[in-house]
Amino acid sequence: MKFKDKIIDLSRPQVMGILNVTPDSFSDGGQYNSLDAGIRHAQRMVADGATFIDVGGESTRPGAVPVSEEEELERVIPIVELLVKEVDCVVSVDTSKAAVMKEAADAGAGLINDVYALTKFNSMETVAKLDIPVCLMHMQGTPETMQIQPEYDDVINEVRHFFRQRVEDCIEAGIRKNRILLDPGFGFGKTLHHNYRMLKRLNDISFDALPLLVGMSNKSMLGTLLDRKVKDRLAGNISVATIAALNGANILRVHDVKQTCDAVKIVNYLSDIEK
Ligand code: 7PJ
């Protein structure tokens, strides 16, 4: 798949390192706030094997404070510009705001990662005019309320149905199908059971064989099941990343890049061995 000027082979799982530029993100909030520290952290993740760096300027964790457009632009655009210049990676931008999408793409970003799946004002029209891919994530409800009582008849069918509708809407808006990635949205309006069913059935969840991005790193599907605090979820993170890679995930969005890349190497070696 083509991301700006880079062609990335998604037939093998790729690793996306998370770079939060929010003061309140729950797992590394505040640590990588300055530009310089952000670039160094991104460089480390790329040296460890990340192909993508996902820059996020608005936390979507339950209860997070919304960020204004001006504030998000101020947080995100300078780091995108620097990453494009100095770090050999595809720069992804985790945003739902049309203005941030447009300016990030102009600054050289290679992927728009939208947890609201282009439902916010003007975002679909904006992406249709850009020449970079977009990741559409499934969410039930909104970050404020989504974890109160998630409910599905069948989470796999409902996520797939959502994917089909969003993809159709995108195509109608002029976004090419070969520029769309899908994400089932672990932790976004799902119970523990829903999350693990999606992980188990990842092979059936995509629509039209579009590439799948997954993000489970440090989330409560690990904290709750394992009874581990955020700092103590590495083994859980690697376990679910390995299962996702085995079950067909194309991009793994993670904090622990180095360890996840080791797991991916094992999965790749395994898939190259004849029976
Ligand atoms: C996800 C994301 C995810 C995609 C966040 C966190 C919360 N983008 N942005 N998928 N999660 N595509 O990292 O815990 O699961 S923010």
Side-chain angles (χ1 to χ4, degrees), residues 18 26 60 94 113 115 135 137 183 186 188 213 215 219 253:
I18 299 168
F26 75 102
T60 44
D94 189 341
N113 173 27
V115 300
C135 178
M137 198 196 75
D183 183 334
F186 288 92
F188 286 85
L213 189 158
K219 286 186 180 176
R253 181 183 176 278

Side-chain angles (χ1 to χ4, degrees), residues 136-147:
L136 308 172
M137 198 196 75
H138 175 272
M139 167 170 14
Q140 184 180 85
T142 63
E144 299 78 56
T145 58
M146 65 191 180
Q147 289 308 103

Side-chain angles (χ1 to χ4, degrees), residues 16 18 20 25-27 54 56 58-62 92 94-95 111-115 135-138 146 182-188 213-220 253 255:
M16 169 182 275
I18 299 168
N20 283 316
S25 290
F26 75 102
S27 82
D54 189 41
E58 174 172 45
S59 174
T60 44
R61 74 173 191 188
S92 161
D94 189 341
T95 189
L111 173 65
I112 302 297
N113 173 27
D114 185 5
V115 300
C135 178
L136 308 172
M137 198 196 75
H138 175 272
M146 65 191 180
L182 302 171
D183 183 334
F186 288 92
F188 286 85
L213 189 158
V214 298
M216 296 177 281
S217 193
N218 287 347
K219 286 186 180 176
S220 65
R253 181 183 176 278
H255 298 89

Side-chain angles (χ1 to χ4, degrees), residues 77-114:
I77 302 306
I79 190 100
V80 169
E81 284 172 346
L82 265 181
L83 285 170
V84 167
K85 240 191 293 171
E86 295 186 19
V87 185
D88 182 22
C89 65
V90 174
V91 179
S92 161
V93 180
D94 189 341
T95 189
S96 52
K97 294 188 184 73
V100 179
M101 294 171 178
K102 167 86 173 82
E103 290 209 26
D106 288 349
L111 173 65
I112 302 297
N113 173 27
D114 185 5

Side-chain angles (χ1 to χ4, degrees), residues 4 10 14 32-33 43 50 53 58 60 66 72 74 136 148 196 213 226-227 229 249 256:
K4 191 87 179 172
L10 296 183
Q14 301 292 332
Y32 297 106
N33 255 337
Q43 260 156 351
I53 298 293
E58 174 172 45
T60 44
E72 196 179 328
E74 247 169 69
L136 308 172
I148 294 172
Y196 281 96
L213 189 158
L226 306 175
D227 192 20
K229 302 270 184 235
D256 309 301

